[in-house]
Each structure stands twice: as C-alpha cells, then as structure tokens.
Amino acid sequence: MIKGVVFDLDHTLFDRYATLRTVLPEMYKRMRENIPQDLSLNDFIERFIEVEKQHIYNGWTYTGERLVEQGVFLNGTKGQDVWKCLFTYCGPLAAVKYPFTEPTLVKLREMGLKIGILTNGESHLQNNKIGLLNIAPFVDEIVISGDVGAQKPDPKPFEVISKKIGIEPKNLLYVGDNPLNDVEGSRNAGYTPVWVKTIGHWYFDDIEHCELEVQTVAEIPELVNKINSKQ
C-alpha cells in the first residue's frame, strides 16, 4: 500500500530549462567579455542548454568546461566561474515549476498521502529554489542532502526523509529523473522507484531499468490509485 510520495526536485517538480531561459540573460550580461562577440543572446541560451543536456549528470564544473570547449565561452574561462556566476547572481532571480507541479501535489494531499521532497545540493541553494517555487506549503517534509552529510544515491537521505514522514520505505514511492541517484538510490533504500522521463534518455546502461515510468509527475496520482487498487 502506497501511503506517501517523495519527489526529486530538478527535472521532476522544477523546470530547469525554463528557468535557465529566464536567468541566462543575466549571465550573458555579466560574462559578456567571456562570450564570443558574434554569439547572440538567443544563440547563447540555446547552445548553453544544448550542452547542459548532453552532460546532464556529469556535474556543474564538468559541464562548464564542456561549454568552454564547445565555444559557448571563450578559452580561458573556467568551468567553475560559469557556475559561480549562475548560482551567485542568476539562480536567485527566478525558479520555474512545471504547470502540473502544484495541481499534482494538491491532488496527492486530497488523496490522503504524505508528500516529501528529497534533493541533492547545497542547503542554501536548494532552499532558495524551493522558496522561489513556492511549493513548501504543499509538502509535508523537505530534506536537502547537504543538510544530512550524504548525497543520493547513498541510502542515508532516503532513510532520513522516511523517518521524518513517518512512513516505511516499502510504503513510499520515490519519483525522479536520474537513473542512478533517484531510481537506483531509492530502490536500494527500499522504496518503489518511479522514473519520470523528463530527460527522455536512460543514461546508465549498467543500471536496471525502472518498472514504473511516467512522462511527468502529473501521472502520479493515477499511478498510486492503480498500485493501491491491486493490494
């Protein structure tokens, strides 16, 4: 019996690409001397997102280095400088949730389910993002891995939020886009994993595919009903 649902944040409840399109103009302005002069703002945004998609699970610094290699930034720009600008000056400006995020959380609450968010990242960055999204009122518990000293796929963060919610992992769904951090991590922690196919590609061939898959979290209420109707 599913009694609660725990969500990843990025690419699950939070639309990172819509957010990037909103905040990258500020980066373009602040780092103009590091960007090829013939690269327009629109081309900068689209090429930035294209490269980020190619290296989605490789970490921010690595992706920043690839942005330099592929000419989005000039040689000599450091990957860490790209992300410092993004997180320090651009990230706090806006955060965009999917249009179905809030209605889904409300629906799950109406169904009597507990709702959690478990996300990797630094506490101040993720808390700021959640604040901008204004989704905390619809969630029972939020755990940021930076606050517990372990990152997904380590089982510790999954154990922490399970205890906070007061529901055993076997009675929880974990919904996320990352096959390693979200699917494999929650599976090993005793949850029922659900892969949300926001990215659209399973990047980890050595990880067993997820039995439960959805296109977006809007499908989760119906999925919960189907699971529970069989038990």
Side-chain angles (χ1 to χ4, degrees):
M1 176 70 70
I2 299 301
K3 300 179 181 179
V5 182
V6 181
F7 292 94
D8 172 48
L9 188 59
D10 284 26
H11 297 300
T12 302
L13 301 176
F14 167 67
D15 190 339
R16 191 153 88 191
Y17 296 134
T19 300
L20 283 173
R21 287 190 168 90
T22 301
V23 303
L24 283 177
E26 180 67 17
M27 176 180 280
Y28 186 81
K29 180 175 69 175
R30 287 182 174 272
M31 298 191 70
R32 192 67 187 95
E33 293 182 357
N34 299 82
I35 298 168
Q37 291 302 304
D38 60 350
L39 190 62
S40 69
L41 172 59
N42 287 339
D43 287 343
F44 169 77
I45 292 171
E46 295 309 315
R47 288 182 61 185
F48 188 107
I49 291 174
E50 178 184 356
V51 174
E52 205 271 345
K53 285 182 177 179
Q54 293 170 2
H55 305 285
I56 183 66
Y57 300 129
N58 292 320
W60 295 113
T61 299
Y62 180 91
T63 304
E65 293 168 352
R66 303 294 79 75
L67 285 163
V68 176
E69 284 183 356
Q70 296 192 34
V72 180
F73 292 93
L74 297 172
N75 288 332
T77 305
K78 296 180 180 179
Q80 60 187 8
D81 293 335
V82 174
W83 300 117
K84 182 179 180 181
C85 179
L86 181 63
F87 292 139
T88 303
Y89 302 109
C90 306
L93 297 177
V96 181
K97 58 193 170 203
Y98 292 108
F100 45 75
T101 294
E102 188 173 312
T104 298
L105 297 178
V106 170
K107 178 63 176 178
L108 291 170
R109 273 274 183 85
E110 291 173 347
M111 292 166 60
L113 298 168
K114 291 286 189 178
I115 303 171
I117 293 175
L118 171 59
T119 177
N120 278 354
E122 297 180 25
S123 180
H124 70 285
L125 293 174
Q126 297 302 78
N127 275 314
N128 179 73
K129 187 184 298 180
I130 290 167
L132 289 170
L133 294 171
N134 193 30
I135 55 177
F138 309 103
V139 176
D140 295 291
E141 296 290 345
I142 298 171
V143 171
I144 299 170
S145 60
D147 291 330
V148 300
Q151 302 268 339
K152 298 180 297 181
D154 189 287
K156 183 177 179 180
F158 294 99
E159 294 166 359
V160 169
I161 195 162
S162 173
K163 290 178 181 178
K164 281 180 171 289
I165 288 179
I167 300 174
E168 293 184 26
K170 67 180 181 180
N171 298 121
L172 289 168
L173 291 184
Y174 188 83
V175 184
D177 67 286
N178 188 318
L180 175 60
N181 291 345
D182 299 327
V183 173
E184 186 75 349
S186 65
R187 179 190 285 144
N188 290 339
Y191 290 64
T192 298
V194 180
W195 182 43
V196 59
K197 300 165 70 173
T198 321
I199 303 302
H201 182 74
W202 189 271
Y203 279 92
F204 298 83
D205 294 335
D206 57 334
I207 294 177
E208 181 183 352
H209 270 257
C210 194
E211 181 180 350
L212 301 176
E213 300 179 357
V214 296
Q215 294 294 329
T216 75
V217 301
E219 300 170 54
I220 296 300
E222 181 180 356
L223 178 62
V224 171
N225 282 332
K226 286 182 179 179
I227 294 172
N228 287 345
S229 67
K230 296 177 181 178
Q231 297 179 355

